[in-house]
Amino acid sequence: MKKNLLTAFMLMLAGNSFAQTQTATDTLVVTTQPQMHCQNCEKKIKSNIRFVKGTKKISTSVDDQKVTIVYDGRKAKYNDYVEAFKKIGYEIKKK
């Protein structure tokens, strides 16, 4: 009986640990001011914004004038990205 209870307890702990390791991802789509107009603008944004803690993926589109950021919402917030863009000379607005 004790062995069954111990096994059940261990399985429950393992299940909880697995559930906590899954990441919560959020997506942020923004426009920039000044507007991006070339590949160098895209490169500047991608190479600097990737350092915001929790950033998973960054994609940019000069044609659509948008930056899409996939990030871990437990590690980064919108204001973190506002500050990071400000450091490289851009302002952002949610699209």
Side-chain angles (χ1 to χ4, degrees):
M1 179 71 167
K2 288 182 182 179
K3 193 173 188 180
N4 288 340
L5 286 174
L6 181 61
T7 303
F9 179 72
M10 295 299 284
L11 287 172
M12 187 174 67
L13 275 176
N16 283 342
S17 297
F18 178 73
Q20 291 175 354
T21 59
Q22 295 176 347
T23 59
T25 57
D26 292 324
T27 302
L28 175 63
V29 180
V30 297
T31 58
T32 61
Q33 187 63 35
Q35 293 183 339
M36 298 179 291
H37 62 277
C38 64
Q39 288 181 340
N40 286 334
C41 296
E42 290 180 303
K43 185 177 177 181
K44 181 179 182 179
I45 289 170
K46 287 180 180 180
S47 64
N48 286 282
I49 301 306
R50 68 186 177 100
F51 290 110
V52 175
K53 190 172 186 171
T55 301
K56 305 286 183 192
K57 181 180 175 185
I58 304 167
S59 58
T60 56
S61 173
V62 172
D63 295 336
D64 296 333
Q65 288 297 310
K66 70 178 182 178
V67 179
T68 304
I69 304 166
V70 177
Y71 66 100
D72 184 341
R74 297 172 299 175
K75 295 181 180 178
K77 303 292 179 220
Y78 175 72
N79 286 336
D80 296 327
Y81 290 102
V82 170
E83 292 301 316
F85 273 90
K86 190 180 289 185
K87 286 181 183 178
I88 58 172
Y90 288 95
E91 291 182 17
I92 60 171
K93 292 184 182 178
K94 290 182 183 180
K95 191 166 186 179

